[in-house]
């Protein structure tokens, strides 16, 4: 009998804890092996409004969509506020993709305060026209071509992909009569990688997250590393989560809301109105469970 009453007590305790627990995070989700959490979301109304309509999960593949095109998300690093993106028409050390087929990288003006490629991300523009905006206004010089985080075109010319194109490294010149075959730039220097506007045939992108310089372009990490920020201290979301809520936004796509179970609040869950059906339903469930346990006690007692 003591063991029976101990079990009953544990069942009641677990149920009471579940009644008093915080609201479940209905916005956290997964796509493949990638966790999707604030400020991102794939459900409408979840996450920060600055990141709405950004991520889409298609056949367990997480896609990132901005004005320049769609990219596969390889990783979301919440500790360093960064995403790693892959684009199939981006050149690497093993192959050059020409014909202006690549997306490059450009975000909508309203998204720009929230995300941009990291400062250690180099974009190497390939086969740009002499009429390209890259070379206008700089007679005799090809600016803003330069190395970024120790990575640049002079090293990139050593990749096998250039040998396949018949490139001879000695022929390249950043100060010759024509434009260079490759021009390395930082994103912030031109605020957008648009191959059509820049009149370039292709591009490559690499980033460096290691404290030590990587030896040679064959060891570079190719892809686009994007830094994101929710701007400011994001006190609203902090207060929402502290009261057990989940951060989201309203139907206007701008106003932040705190999702508290099946109710939304404009501040936090402590101030959220309680649904008329929530508390009575819980009481009915508790009463039913208690009746069941008492009946079990009575049957067990009378059988002994």
């Amino acid at each position: 009998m003591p063991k029976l009453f101990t079990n009953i007590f544990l069942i009641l305790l677990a149920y009471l804890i579940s009644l008093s627990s915080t609201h479940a995070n209905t916005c956290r989700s997964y796509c493949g092996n990638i966790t999707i959490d604030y400020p991102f979301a794939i459900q409408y109304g979840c996450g920060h409004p600055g990141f709405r309509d950004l991520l889409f999960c298609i056949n367990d593949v997480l896609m990132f969509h901005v004005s320049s095109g769609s990219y596969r998300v390889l990783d979301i690093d919440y500790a360093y506020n960064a995403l790693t993106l892959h684009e199939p028409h981006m050149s690497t050390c093993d192959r050059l993709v020409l014909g202006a087929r690549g997306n490059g990288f450009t975000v909508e003006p309203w998204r720009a305060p929230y995300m941009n490629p990291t400062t250690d991300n180099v974009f190497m523009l390939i086969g740009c026209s002499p009429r390209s905006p890259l070379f206008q206004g700089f007679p005799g010089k090809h600016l803003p071509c330069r190395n970024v985080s120790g990575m640049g075109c002079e090293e990139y010319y050593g990749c096998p992909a250039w040998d396949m194109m018949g490139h001879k490294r000695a022929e390249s010149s950043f100060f010759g009569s024509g434009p260079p075959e490759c021009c390395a730039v930082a994103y912030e220097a031109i605020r957008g990688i648009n191959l059509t506007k820049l009149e370039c045939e292709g591009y490559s992108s690499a980033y460096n997250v290691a404290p030590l310089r990587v030896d040679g372009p064959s060891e570079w990490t190719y892809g686009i590393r994007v830094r994101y920020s929710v701007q400011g201290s994001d006190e609203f979301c902090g207060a929402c989560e502290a009261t057990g809520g989940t951060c989201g936004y309203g139907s206007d796509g701008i106003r932040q809301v705190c999702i508290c179970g099946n109710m939304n609040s404009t501040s936090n869950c402590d101030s959220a109105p309680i649904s008329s059906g929530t508390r009575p339903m819980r009481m009915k469930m508790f009463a039913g469970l208690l009746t069941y346990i008492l009946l079990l006690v009575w049957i067990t007692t009378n059988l002994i």
Side-chain angles (χ1 to χ4, degrees), residues 64 75 77 80-85 105 107 112 114-123 146-149 151 185-189 191 193 205-210 221-229:
F64 172 101
D75 177 65
D77 190 335
Y80 290 93
N81 292 0
L83 301 97
T84 303
L85 309 178
F105 191 85
V107 300
Y114 299 103
M115 66 188 73
N116 277 303
T118 59
T119 56
D120 57 11
N121 197 122
V122 60
F123 287 91
R146 62 181 180 85
N147 283 5
V148 177
S149 191
M151 297 176 289
V185 298
Y187 185 83
E188 61 268 20
R191 307 306 299 174
I193 306 299
S205 175
Y207 60 91
N208 185 10
V209 295
T221 305
Y222 291 87
I224 302 174
R225 181 93 165 165
V226 177
R227 181 84 63 191
Y228 67 85
S229 169

Side-chain angles (χ1 to χ4, degrees), residues 1-268:
M1 287 299 292
K3 184 177 180 180
L4 173 64
F5 283 108
T6 299
N7 291 337
I8 292 171
F9 173 75
L10 291 175
I11 292 171
L12 284 170
L13 181 63
Y15 186 73
L16 289 171
I17 290 174
S18 71
L19 288 178
S20 61
S21 63
T22 58
H23 307 281
N25 187 337
T26 57
C27 287
R28 181 181 293 115
S29 57
Y30 300 87
C31 183
N33 62 349
I34 299 178
T35 302
I36 305 166
D37 209 343
Y38 187 84
F40 304 105
I42 54 177
Q43 307 100 312
Y44 184 81
C46 289
H48 190 282
F51 300 86
R52 70 180 187 273
D53 302 325
L54 181 70
L55 298 183
F56 301 89
C57 188
I58 304 173
N59 297 326
D60 283 336
V61 175
L62 188 61
M63 301 300 293
F64 172 101
H65 185 77
V66 287
S67 59
S68 56
S70 295
Y71 308 78
R72 180 172 182 170
V73 180
L74 301 181
D75 177 65
I76 302 178
D77 190 335
Y78 292 100
Y80 290 93
N81 292 0
L83 301 97
T84 303
L85 309 178
H86 170 73
E87 203 261 292
H89 295 132
M90 181 180 69
S91 298
T92 62
C93 198
D94 296 319
R95 68 176 191 138
L96 295 182
V97 181
L98 304 178
R101 290 186 290 160
N103 288 342
F105 191 85
T106 306
V107 300
E108 300 87 337
W110 68 270
R111 283 201 200 275
Y114 299 103
M115 66 188 73
N116 277 303
T118 59
T119 56
D120 57 11
N121 197 122
V122 60
F123 287 91
M124 291 167 287
L125 299 164
I126 301 167
C128 300
S129 163
R131 301 181 303 276
S132 170
L134 288 170
F135 312 127
Q136 301 305 309
F138 304 105
K141 294 184 179 181
H142 298 300
L143 300 176
C145 305
R146 62 181 180 85
N147 283 5
V148 177
S149 191
M151 297 176 289
C153 288
E154 285 301 308
E155 284 185 293
Y156 188 50
Y157 285 139
C159 283
W162 288 96
D163 295 334
M164 297 176 190
M165 297 294 294
H167 171 84
K168 291 183 173 54
R169 186 168 180 173
E171 295 175 359
S172 66
S173 172
F174 282 89
F175 299 97
S177 58
E181 294 175 90
C182 172
C183 176
V185 298
Y187 185 83
E188 61 268 20
I190 54 178
R191 307 306 299 174
I193 306 299
N194 184 316
L195 298 185
T196 301
K197 289 183 177 179
L198 294 173
E199 299 185 41
C200 299
E201 286 293 312
Y203 83 106
S204 183
S205 175
Y207 60 91
N208 185 10
V209 295
L212 299 177
R213 182 177 175 179
V214 180
D215 185 23
S218 61
E219 301 296 322
W220 293 350
T221 305
Y222 291 87
I224 302 174
R225 181 93 165 165
V226 177
R227 181 84 63 191
Y228 67 85
S229 169
V230 295
Q231 301 296 300
S233 59
D234 203 18
E235 294 178 358
F236 178 90
C237 188
C240 173
E241 291 182 338
T243 56
T246 302
C247 306
Y249 56 88
S251 57
D252 59 0
I254 300 173
R255 177 177 50 90
Q256 286 186 276
V257 298
C258 186
I259 303 171
C260 308
N262 61 345
M263 300 294 293
N264 289 347
S265 169
T266 56
S267 54
N268 57 63

